[in-house]
Amino acid sequence: MNAHILLQQLVNGVVLGSVYGLIAVGYTMVYGIIGMINFAHGEVYMIAAYLTAIFLAALTLLGIQSPPVVILMVLILTMAVTALYGWSIERIAYKPLRHSTRLAPLISAIGMSLILQNFVRIAQGARNQGIPTLLDGGVRLMENGPEQFVQITHAQILIVVTAIVSMGALWYLIQGTAMGRACRAVQQDRTMAALLGVDTDRIISVVFVLGASMAAVAGTLVTFNYGSFDFFIGFVTGIKAFTAAVLGGIGSLPGAMLGGLVLGLSESIFSGFVNTDYKDVFAFSLLVLVLIFRPSGLLGHPEVEKV
Amino acid sequence: MPRKLWDAVLAGVVALLLFVPLTGVSLSGYTLEGHWQRPLWLAVGVVLGRLLLGWFLERRQRMVGTTRRPGWITAWIDDHRPYIVIAAVIGALLVPWWIGKYWLNVAILALIYVLLGLGLNVVVGLAGLLDLGFVAFYAVGAYTYALGHHYFALSFWAAVPLGAMLAAGFGVVLAFPVLRMHGDYLAIVTLGFGEIIRLILNNWLEVTGGPNGLRVPFPSLFGMDFGRRASPGHVTLHEFLNIPYSNEYRDIFLYLLLFLVVCGMVFLVRRLRRMPLGRNWEALREDEIACRSLGIQPVTVKLSAFGLGAMTAGVGGVFFAASQGFVNPTSFTFLESAHILAIVVLGGMGSTGGVIVAAVVLTVLPEVLRDFAEYRGLLFGCAMVLMMMWRPRGLMGIRRARFHRSEVG
């Protein structure tokens, strides 16, 4: 086994894992609070990728050039609009169904996911889109000869740092503010929280907004790193991020981050040493296996269904 | 009144914020093209829609308390049920002789979707399990025939039961462990499984031919071919019956065969719904905890529904492969699963008649409205969301089997 390849795949895995973790947060928070899988969450990530490219082009047209300013502005604008998408999705497709049958929100979510995918395809065209490279170059470690080095690009460093910062901010929001306390209360017992004066509808909206913003961070960062995307990227990435959420224990925030890292690392190592064509098959098989053998995930609690 | 107006204006502002970046400009290379009128029209639509919704909700609020009479359509269908069924059967039997080759193929596809819709209806509509990878079992059926023919010279008539069994086997093995847990996990596992199957079919070039696909022969009838000339050792149908050759015969034959299968499926579902098993499906859908306390085994009951659904998809897949003469993985994408789910949801989950109508309409309509093909996915999505709000329990409502009133007295 080649140590350089292994280390390189570990670096790639951490980067990939941070992205999965950021998206998984949205799945895990929504599942924790209203107990449904938000199938449209992957499309939120896809929309963020498009918004990134659009805001980047708009800023370039306005003549703003400095890369740090551009990156920060694009990130903030994308997060704002994507958060609004998250809020609207909940308001349109899920809120009216709060007291409906168990299947209704799931089917509505699938419908929403189809709507968003096709809306973007019709508005922006089906072809692959791209953005120019903003960050190039990188750091080479352990260099001893051609093809014998471990490279960490600047974009990869940006991804990991931003992911850590936004996860930290989210952690503070949930653990350190009054609103976060209300979120945790609603997650534990929605009826009791409502009786004690928590506006549960507002808290559910907040959770969707937070989840969408995190997905926006992921979408922006991945777009800066790869530079290419299409209207279908949300589907596979969405299932994988959900896998990460289940792997870490659905409903648990640290679990989502841990699950993202574990999935990212194992997927990178699989594609580096076994086969690239089957890396998605590997990830989906992992999902099936986790659900079979440890459905509560790494950090989750076993689910008890109450009457 | 001002409050409703305020709501509508607010919705319009949100719509503008949402639509300006994504529809107001479109990416072209690394720069942008402006389409400023698009978000404006969309926002105007949202404002009007919000006003209409407010009016509609207010009207419904006023109607709370008054009993709803069933609509005249439902009543008419109820009164004339046997005639409608007979007319539909006669119509379906006459159709293939008139419509020509192109529409015959559309009709065969429609019947395949009817079959798939009926199968998924058992899983989603009756048992209340969301299966998002239904197309995987369809693919298993289609590739059973294609690979079986390619490697083992499997005939169509052997492929039908084998495809059904393989698909059901895959379904049971996949669902058994997942069904023990919270119901929603099944949705995501089936979604993942659908992708796994498609990726394997696409990437395993040595066996499946990958994106190039495989050729599939047309079925024979009692060893008779449908071609113009018989293959060695065979007789062709037109020579046997002493009629002039037409290339429509084989499609008509496939259509009638499929029609028979669909009728069998309708009959099967009808009987099952009246049996304890079918009642257990619906009871579990409504309240799992109550069922468990009454001694119903949730896993076995759900598994039977899931397996039956997968089996139907397998049969549908074999027929699909036979009718196309060719299979490749592009026929088995997630959009196909969504199409079948849209049929079940629009048909009114649980209603056999509704599913049949929805399947025919959703297959024939895109052929008629070629120009709107681009909007197919968008319309499916909107239909799913709206149906869940309007009639989450189905268009026709669930008709329960009743006890008959005693004739005496």
Side-chain angles (χ1 to χ4, degrees), chain A residues 28-261:
Chain A
T28 214
M29 289 203 325
V30 167
Y31 195 91
I33 216 152
I34 52 174
M36 72 164 274
I37 303 171
N38 178 13
F39 285 107
H41 193 58
E43 313 312 330
V44 170
Y45 159 82
M46 176 271 295
I47 282 179
Y50 272 86
L51 288 172
T52 301
I54 287 166
F55 286 130
L56 183 65
L59 289 177
T60 315
L61 287 177
L62 291 175
I64 300 170
Q65 296 287 335
S66 150
V69 178
V70 169
I71 289 174
L72 197 66
M73 280 183 77
V74 167
L75 189 63
I76 290 170
L77 283 170
T78 308
M79 276 175 79
V81 178
T82 313
L84 196 60
Y85 266 95
W87 180 82
S88 315
I89 289 169
E90 196 270 334
R91 186 69 192 72
I92 294 168
Y94 307 146
K95 194 174 170 213
L97 302 177
R98 197 118 336 131
H99 305 289
S100 191
T101 57
R102 192 182 55 76
L103 216 52
L106 284 176
I107 292 178
S108 184
I110 287 291
M112 202 64 205
S113 160
L114 281 175
I115 292 176
L116 292 172
Q117 245 177 49
N118 285 282
F119 160 67
V120 170
R121 183 174 58 84
I122 292 166
Q124 298 289 333
R127 67 186 180 283
N128 209 307
Q129 304 277 7
I131 64 163
T133 315
L134 279 180
L135 283 170
D136 45 8
V139 188
R140 284 186 179 182
L141 304 172
M142 299 172 55
E143 187 159 8
N144 45 8
E147 307 286 316
Q148 289 285 313
F149 54 81
V150 177
Q151 171 150 329
I152 309 176
T153 64
H154 290 140
Q156 287 180 321
I157 295 172
L158 178 75
I159 288 185
V160 175
V161 170
T162 320
I164 290 171
V165 170
S166 35
M167 291 286 195
L170 183 70
W171 186 250
Y172 170 74
L173 265 179
I174 296 293
Q175 297 294 333
T177 64
M179 191 195 68
R181 200 172 59 220
C183 286
R184 283 178 287 142
V186 174
Q187 171 163 17
Q188 280 176 13
D189 191 332
R190 180 140 45 111
T191 321
M192 194 61 211
L195 285 174
L196 293 176
V198 177
D199 185 348
T200 48
D201 278 347
R202 205 181 126 248
I203 293 301
I204 292 171
S205 291
V206 164
V207 163
F208 271 85
V209 165
L210 288 177
S213 322
M214 288 289 141
V217 175
T220 306
L221 294 173
V222 170
T223 311
F224 280 148
N225 189 19
Y226 291 108
S228 137
F229 54 89
D230 60 46
F231 71 97
F232 206 61
I233 57 169
F235 180 68
V236 168
T237 314
I239 308 182
K240 284 191 189 167
F242 183 81
T243 307
V246 173
L247 195 59
I250 197 144
S252 145
L253 268 187
M257 304 172 197
L258 182 69
L261 275 181

Side-chain angles (χ1 to χ4, degrees), chain B residues 5-22:
Chain B
L5 222 61
W6 173 240
D7 275 352
V9 170
L10 204 68
V13 172
V14 172
L16 268 186
L17 285 174
L18 292 179
F19 290 137
V20 163
L22 272 180

Side-chain angles (χ1 to χ4, degrees), chain B residues 24-170:
Chain B
V25 290
S26 69
L27 288 163
S28 104
Y30 292 158
T31 179
L32 297 173
E33 272 170 22
H35 310 274
W36 297 108
Q37 72 290 2
R38 293 201 302 197
L40 288 178
W41 282 117
L42 283 167
V44 168
V46 167
V47 171
L48 290 178
R50 186 72 186 84
L51 279 175
L52 268 175
L53 183 75
W55 172 78
F56 176 76
L57 288 179
E58 194 174 83
R59 209 183 68 132
R60 203 159 70 167
Q61 201 90 61
R62 264 187 277 134
M63 277 177 47
V64 169
T66 63
T67 44
R68 261 188 76 141
R69 279 183 303 119
W72 63 272
I73 300 182
T74 327
W76 188 85
I77 291 178
D78 254 4
D79 289 348
H80 300 81
R81 187 160 285 259
Y83 305 109
I84 297 173
V85 171
I86 291 169
V89 168
I90 292 175
L93 285 176
L94 288 180
V95 151
W97 308 94
W98 303 102
I99 51 181
K101 188 148 175 69
Y102 176 77
W103 286 102
L104 195 53
N105 279 319
V106 175
I108 289 174
L109 205 61
L111 275 184
I112 290 175
Y113 278 119
V114 170
L115 190 62
L116 294 173
L118 288 173
L120 190 61
N121 191 32
V122 170
V123 185
V124 179
L126 296 185
L129 307 165
L130 189 52
D131 182 353
L132 296 175
F134 200 60
V135 81
F137 307 115
Y138 185 45
V140 167
Y143 269 88
T144 301
Y145 185 25
L147 292 172
H149 174 77
H150 195 259
Y151 292 101
F152 310 109
L154 196 71
S155 82
F156 173 80
W157 299 100
V160 171
L162 193 65
M165 277 189 318
L166 270 178
F170 268 105

